[in-house]
């Protein structure tokens, strides 16, 4: 795993956006895996800037988001559909047909999960998957104890995850279930970009990057992936020995 440390959040976000822009420039039909949450907001803002000011072209790009809350429709401001529209989709020339987020409000959630897996396969797999990391080491909504071979499925969220996300969003309530890509799905991405910022993430980053590889810390499983770049700001890297 390549670990890159930046002086602050803005530097980290700009570097992450540059890496995505290079991938878009390199490949005829790039397939990106995308994350929501507070961590990638700066990266999306920089991608929008690159589109507006430097002509970064999303017309050949296909995207697959990691997850969506169950029971929320795309127009619900708590949904990850909404988040992606707000931060990226409505600001760049990405074809809406190629921007995929699991349908959390599907009447057939298991069928939706199977459909999502099929769409990823049909697109040729994910070239670059962006990940944040939860306070308990989750990636996507794969909470501690998730099967390393899991595929896209309905998951129950940890109480801590619901509380952290509720508080961050200033929301009254969030669903307890989500559709999430599985760890097996994520690990099939050809390259992974793991992002973390802030001192609050320092301990879980230390465990994920240097602790034992265990499903109890889902992000530690990334140590077994052949092509992971981890971008951190200084506070998030503060418990790593990088000498
Ligand atoms: C979001 C996702 C989650 C977040 C993680 C960190 O799509 O899958 O794993 O990446 O909860 O969230 P933030 O960035 O808000 O700390």
């Amino acid at each position: 795993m390549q670990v890159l440390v930046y002086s602050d959040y803005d530097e980290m976000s700009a570097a992450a956006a540059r890496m995505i822009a290079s991938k878009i420039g390199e490949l005829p039909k790039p397939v990106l895996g995308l994350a929501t949450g507070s961590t990638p907001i700066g990266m999306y803002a920089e991608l929008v800037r690159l589109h507006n000011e430097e002509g970064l072209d999303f017309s050949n790009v296909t995207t697959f988001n990691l997850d969506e809350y169950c029971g929320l429709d795309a127009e619900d401001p708590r949904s990850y559909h909404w988040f992606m529209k707000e931060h990226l989709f409505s600001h760049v020339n990405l074809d809406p047909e190629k921007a995929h987020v699991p349908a959390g409000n599907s009447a057939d959630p298991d069928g939706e999960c199977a459909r999502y897996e099929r769409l990823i396969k049909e697109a040729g797999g994910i070239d670059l998957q962006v990940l944040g990391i939860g306070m308990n080491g989750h990636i996507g909504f794969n909470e501690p104890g998730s099967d390393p071979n899991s595929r896209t499925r309905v998951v129950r969220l940890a109480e801590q995850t619901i509380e952290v996300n509720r508080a961050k969003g200033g929301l009254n309530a969030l669903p307890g279930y989500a559709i999430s890509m599985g760890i097996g799905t994520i690990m099939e991405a050809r390259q992974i970009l793991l992002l973390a910022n802030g001192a609050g993430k320092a301990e879980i980053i230390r465990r994920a990057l240097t602790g034992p590889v265990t499903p109890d810390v889902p992000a530690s499983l990334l140590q077994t992936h052949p092509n992971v770049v981890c971008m951190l700001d200084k506070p998030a890297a503060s418990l790593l020995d990088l000498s």
Side-chain angles (χ1 to χ4, degrees), residues 110-243:
D110 292 340
E112 169 61 10
C113 295
R115 185 189 73 95
Y116 208 66
E117 286 281 331
R118 204 166 51 242
L119 285 175
I120 295 172
K121 209 160 261 152
E122 283 167 10
I126 292 171
D127 294 303
L128 176 60
Q129 173 69 56
V130 179
L131 295 178
I133 181 171
M135 297 300 286
N136 59 6
H138 72 214
I139 49 177
F141 274 143
N142 296 286
E143 302 284 22
S146 295
D147 181 346
N149 297 314
S150 50
R151 313 302 307 186
T152 303
R153 70 207 183 289
V154 176
V155 293
R156 188 184 164 83
L157 302 178
E159 285 304 322
Q160 183 196 25
T161 301
I162 299 170
E163 184 45 36
V164 167
N165 288 0
R166 192 195 62 72
K168 263 189 194 163
L171 303 166
N172 290 327
L174 280 175
Y177 289 87
I179 290 178
S180 176
M181 274 190 207
I183 296 179
T185 320
I186 292 170
M187 293 293 274
E188 279 172 13
R190 286 181 272 284
Q191 188 171 30
I192 289 175
L193 170 58
L194 174 65
L195 298 174
N197 68 286
K201 294 282 172 74
E203 172 58 14
I204 194 61
I205 279 292
R206 186 190 64 74
R207 290 173 66 200
L209 271 54
T210 66
V213 174
T214 164
D216 294 342
V217 181
S220 70
L221 298 164
L222 298 172
Q223 292 179 39
T224 67
H225 189 283
N227 194 354
V228 179
V229 176
C230 175
M231 295 185 178
L232 306 169
D233 71 353
K234 270 197 184 146
S238 58
L239 296 179
L240 296 177
D241 178 7
L242 293 167
S243 55

Side-chain angles (χ1 to χ4, degrees), residues 26-132:
E26 233 164 70
L27 300 173
K29 288 185 169 185
V31 180
L32 303 176
L34 299 178
T36 59
S38 58
T39 310
I41 288 177
M43 176 191 83
Y44 291 133
E46 178 62 9
L47 284 171
V48 170
R49 193 196 66 78
L50 288 172
H51 171 70
N52 287 335
E53 294 177 17
E54 298 181 27
L56 179 62
D57 178 13
F58 285 79
S59 59
N60 291 325
V61 176
T62 299
T63 65
F64 289 95
N65 265 78
L66 283 165
D67 38 26
E68 177 60 287
Y69 290 109
C70 286
L72 300 188
D73 66 47
E75 297 312 314
D76 189 315
R78 296 172 297 168
S79 74
Y80 287 164
H81 279 79
W82 179 279
F83 176 100
M84 290 309 300
K85 260 186 252 162
E86 279 275 293
H87 292 286
L88 186 70
F89 295 164
S90 60
H91 306 290
V92 298
N93 64 332
L94 184 61
D95 178 352
E97 299 271 298
K98 294 191 202 152
H100 305 284
V101 182
N105 60 351
S106 169
D108 173 15
D110 292 340
E112 169 61 10
C113 295
R115 185 189 73 95
Y116 208 66
E117 286 281 331
R118 204 166 51 242
L119 285 175
I120 295 172
K121 209 160 261 152
E122 283 167 10
I126 292 171
D127 294 303
L128 176 60
Q129 173 69 56
V130 179
L131 295 178

